[in-house]
Amino acid sequence: MILTSTGINEEIRRNPAGYVHAVDDAYSAQLCGIAKYIFDRRDCCPIILISGPSGSGKTTTAKMIEQFLDGWGCETHTVSMDNYFLPFSPQEMELVNQGKIDLESPARLDIPLLNSHIVKMINMEPVELPMYDFTNSRRLTDRTLTRRPGELVILEGIHALNPAVITVPDTQTCRIYVSVRTRIQTDGLVLHPEKIRLLRRMLRDRKNRGRSIADTLSMYDNVQLGENKYIMPYKHRRTFDVDTFIAYEAGVYKQFLMDELEKEKHDPRIADLVETLEHLDPVDAACVPETSLIREFIGGGQFGL
């Protein structure tokens, strides 16, 4: 789908709050339909796998689907596959700091442990869930999860659709691929969806990791290579394909990022991004509902992201 910056601006100028809520309601309705499909198959498919590239909104999408299912009396547990990362040794940390380890590779996951836990979840056996401490590169014990009859488990992570990573039969899973699909057109320029995800990563990196836009851009090429190598080849295995584009989001991000982006606009990788933002009206973040997916990136959301 392609939306024009002119069309988005017209909707914002006509009724900012109404447009924001209509866009978020449409996304919620899309997920409600998927949650209903999952609910109807909860006895045969207890594991829901959510995959997508960086900045696609996997975490909030998982939480929103969980909320629907919980509301219908189907207790659902969301588990991040990031917690199954393998800790780095001191020697490996040196290589990480030198950029010599592929952080996007599925080899960074403890695949045997992950799959043994999934089997236990399916069999309703207790599982000691790990929690990965990214600051100190170590794996801790988080909590014990024992799935009961009729309950569901959502596993979200970039490698969730890779059959070499998740080895349980497809018949026991529902598979969801999320990413940004919609493009924004400004005059003759069409902004690729990956640039919306880049904006999201810039915000998240600054908010959660203290990184500048220049820092995020320094990792951009490796992130793209990892997506093309490790994530995109498996999206065909999805049961559902979800476009996480929120039509007004770039206008919200503009107020947070534009000044810093202007300083980096000499970088040809973001020239189209800067030009698109220049043509979009700003949207006050105060208008964004706490339940909106983009709260994952700007903060202040219902899910504490």
Side-chain angles (χ1 to χ4, degrees):
M1 177 188 296
I2 296 179
L3 297 181
T4 66
S5 57
T6 300
I8 294 172
N9 287 341
E10 287 175 353
E11 294 289 349
I12 290 295
R13 292 168 188 171
R14 183 180 299 116
N15 184 359
Y19 184 55
V20 164
H21 283 278
V23 169
D24 281 302
D25 287 348
Y27 187 70
S28 181
Q30 180 184 186
L31 297 189
C32 182
I34 294 172
K36 182 63 168 60
Y37 176 95
I38 293 168
F39 180 82
D40 291 342
R41 291 156 181 80
R42 61 192 180 281
D43 292 329
C44 62
C45 298
I47 305 296
I48 299 98
L49 304 173
I50 299 183
S51 175
S54 177
S56 59
K58 295 182 294 295
T59 302
T60 298
T61 298
K63 292 293 186 182
M64 292 174 75
I65 291 174
E66 177 185 351
Q67 191 172 64
F68 280 118
L69 293 166
D70 286 344
W72 299 332
C74 179
E75 185 70 20
T76 303
H77 313 274
T78 297
V79 177
S80 172
M81 288 171 56
D82 288 356
N83 288 313
Y84 287 86
F85 281 171
L86 290 165
F88 291 113
S89 68
Q91 294 77 17
E92 288 173 326
M93 280 304 302
E94 286 294 325
L95 295 175
V96 169
N97 294 333
Q98 296 170 25
K100 294 181 179 179
I101 287 185
D102 185 356
L103 299 176
E104 308 299 317
S105 170
R108 295 310 317 153
L109 289 171
D110 191 338
I111 294 175
L113 179 66
L114 173 59
N115 282 283
S116 69
H117 281 188
I118 296 174
V119 170
K120 287 183 178 180
M121 292 172 190
I122 292 171
N123 294 333
M124 291 178 282
E125 300 172 9
V127 175
E128 295 290 334
L129 291 176
M131 178 177 64
Y132 193 79
D133 177 359
F134 285 90
T135 302
N136 299 298
S137 185
R138 59 180 179 171
R139 197 164 58 205
L140 310 172
T141 299
D142 183 17
R143 59 190 170 94
T144 300
L145 169 63
T146 304
R147 189 180 74 87
R148 293 180 169 82
E151 293 184 352
L152 298 169
V153 177
I154 297 175
L155 286 166
E156 62 96 358
I158 62 174
H159 301 298
L161 298 191
N162 185 336
V165 174
I166 305 293
T167 59
V168 299
D170 286 352
T171 53
Q172 295 179 307
T173 69
C174 176
R175 299 168 302 284
I176 303 169
Y177 183 83
V178 303
S179 190
V180 178
R181 298 288 195 191
T182 299
R183 289 164 164 77
I184 301 176
Q185 180 175 331
T186 301
D187 298 328
L189 173 69
V190 178
L191 188 71
H192 194 280
E194 72 184 37
K195 297 301 178 67
I196 296 295
R197 292 192 292 105
L198 176 59
L199 284 173
R200 293 174 175 182
R201 291 204 304 273
M202 288 173 176
L203 283 165
R204 187 173 58 195
D205 283 355
R206 187 168 70 180
K207 177 169 66 79
N208 297 340
R209 298 165 187 173
R211 292 175 180 160
S212 65
I213 283 178
D215 292 334
T216 302
L217 284 172
S218 71
M219 299 179 286
Y220 178 74
D221 293 334
N222 284 337
V223 170
Q224 292 303 112
L225 285 172
E227 291 173 0
N228 292 331
K229 185 175 181 180
Y230 301 123
I231 304 172
M232 305 301 186
Y234 305 107
K235 64 183 181 180
H236 69 278
R237 301 188 65 248
R238 66 194 181 271
T239 312
F240 292 99
D241 192 346
V242 178
D243 183 355
T244 65
F245 178 77
I246 303 298
Y248 65 83
E249 67 179 296
V252 176
Y253 302 155
K254 180 175 182 176
Q255 64 185 294
F256 292 101
L257 296 173
M258 198 62 185
D259 289 346
E260 196 173 349
L261 280 169
E262 288 283 359
K263 297 174 184 176
E264 302 294 334
K265 66 180 181 181
H266 61 276
D267 190 320
R269 294 173 298 181
I270 61 169
D272 55 350
L273 192 49
V274 172
E275 182 175 345
T276 299
L277 289 178
E278 287 174 343
H279 283 81
L280 285 169
D281 289 351
V283 177
D284 188 351
C287 295
V288 180
E290 292 182 358
T291 54
S292 175
L293 178 138
I294 71 169
R295 285 288 178 184
E296 180 175 333
F297 308 100
I298 66 173
Q302 175 179 305
F303 303 115
L305 302 170

